[in-house]
């Protein structure tokens, strides 16, 4: 079986990290292939400094921010995602191209066709499967407030930004062929079961 590249998307507080860890464990068993779980921004050694830099800088224009996320992705793709896939390992990645579309364009109003063009011109590998954890921004925002002291600039912009980002994901998830899981009324375990039911049918 060919190694799979699976991306999990969703707003902050949607439960991506929890589900990525569970799905990685399940996928390793299901496929018999080593499976790694990673994330953006900051998913490889050379990206860590970029993550700190992007998330702690308050005064970038949206275009600079966008280019920094693409730089982070270029590092991550070349240093980690592609080598792991080539070694025959499955890769589960929290956030990828659709985060840039949803946050920089949907959330921060960067021109959508320009954002798409910039992403396309990077020619990053296409994921085999994309999962969107759809949760109401109010529930997610409450979770984020409880777990952090809102010290990164994206989260500190709050509910309004989350709502714009969620609306963007929702508007494009169908035509982009996402597996959409509505998590509002699901426990962690129920969300996980819903994801693997879909994955079993697709893999
Ligand atoms: P993340 O590490 O997923 O935050 P958390 O683990 O707290 O959910 O992402 C950090 C922030 O970076 C998040 O608010 C979304 C933002 N982001 C973008 O704006 N554009 C991007 O392309 C990516 C990958 C992330």
């Amino acid at each position: 079986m060919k190694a799979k590249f699976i991306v999990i998307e969703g707003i902050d507080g949607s439960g991506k990290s929890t589900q990525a860890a569970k799905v990685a464990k399940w996928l390793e068993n299901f496929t018999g292939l080593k499976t790694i779980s990673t994330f953006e921004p900051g998913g490889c050694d050379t990206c860590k400094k970029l993550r700190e830099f992007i998330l702690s800088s308050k005064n970038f224009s949206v275009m600079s921010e966008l280019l920094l996320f693409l730089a982070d992705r270029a590092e991550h793709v070349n240093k980690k995602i592609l080598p792991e896939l080539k070694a025959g390992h499955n890769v589960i990645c929290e956030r990828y191209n659709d985060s840039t579309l949803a946050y920089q364009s949907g959330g921060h109003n960067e021109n959508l066709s320009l954002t798409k063009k910039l992403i396309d011109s990077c020619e990053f590998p296409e994921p085999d499967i994309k999962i969107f954890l759809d949760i109401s921004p109010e529930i997610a925002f409450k979770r984020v407030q409880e777990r952090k002291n809102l010290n990164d600039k994206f989260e500190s912009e709050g509910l309004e930004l989350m709502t714009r980002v969620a609306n963007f994901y929702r508007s494009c998830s169908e035509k982009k062929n996402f597996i959409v899981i509505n998590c509002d009324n699901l426990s962690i375990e129920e969300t996980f079961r819903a994801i693997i039911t879909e994955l079993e049918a697709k893999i």
Side-chain angles (χ1 to χ4, degrees):
M1 185 183 278
K2 191 177 150 274
K4 294 281 180 289
F5 177 24
I6 298 179
V7 165
I8 305 187
E9 293 279 359
I11 60 174
D12 304 78
S14 55
K16 294 181 301 300
S17 303
T18 307
Q19 295 301 331
K22 289 173 81 67
V23 170
K25 217 168 163 191
W26 172 85
L27 190 66
E28 183 149 318
N29 263 321
F30 187 75
T31 60
L33 300 176
K34 184 181 164 193
T35 301
I36 68 131
S37 182
T38 186
F39 57 89
E40 294 188 357
C44 65
D45 286 347
T46 45
C47 307
K48 288 203 171 76
K49 283 215 165 74
L50 271 170
R51 179 186 171 95
E52 275 169 37
F53 185 59
I54 303 169
L55 298 185
S56 62
S57 310
K58 307 263 182 218
N59 298 319
F60 283 130
S61 65
V62 185
M63 180 51 71
S64 309
E65 191 179 281
L66 193 161
L67 294 169
L68 286 164
F69 279 113
L70 295 183
D72 174 82
R73 188 159 306 132
E75 278 301 291
H76 192 214
V77 162
N78 287 302
K79 302 269 173 66
K80 193 167 191 180
I81 295 176
L82 284 177
E84 292 287 352
L85 290 170
K86 278 182 188 145
H89 304 154
N90 299 312
V91 175
I92 311 274
C93 184
E94 289 170 53
R95 302 197 178 284
Y96 198 57
N97 288 332
D98 291 292
S99 279
T100 310
L101 289 165
Y103 281 79
Q104 276 61 59
S105 183
H108 289 151
N109 301 319
E110 186 52 69
N111 179 286
L112 180 59
S113 67
L114 179 57
T115 307
K116 277 186 182 150
K117 261 190 223 159
L118 287 167
I119 293 173
D120 287 348
S121 65
C122 292
E123 298 186 335
F124 295 130
E126 265 304 306
D128 296 297
I129 296 173
K130 299 195 290 187
I131 299 164
F132 167 43
L133 300 182
D134 188 2
I135 191 166
S136 91
E138 288 76 15
I139 296 175
F141 189 61
K142 215 166 144 225
R143 280 192 198 160
V144 172
Q145 278 182 313
E146 281 162 9
R147 116 186 145 203
K148 289 187 181 171
N149 52 359
L150 297 183
N151 56 358
D152 98 34
K153 66 170 178 163
F154 295 96
E155 285 166 353
S156 61
E157 281 172 74
L159 186 56
E160 216 181 287
L161 171 67
M162 294 269 220
T163 304
R164 288 200 300 277
V165 174
N167 287 340
F168 184 93
Y169 275 127
R170 284 172 183 157
S171 71
C172 71
S173 56
E174 207 169 298
K175 56 180 181 285
K176 288 196 150 201
N177 219 2
F178 273 91
I179 292 175
V180 180
I181 309 291
N182 189 320
C183 324
D184 275 353
N185 299 307
L186 301 185
S187 66
I188 290 174
E189 213 46 45
E190 287 166 336
T191 303
F192 172 60
R193 291 279 143 209
I195 294 173
I196 63 172
T197 301
E198 295 276 352
L199 289 180
E200 273 169 347
K202 283 201 175 224
I203 291 175

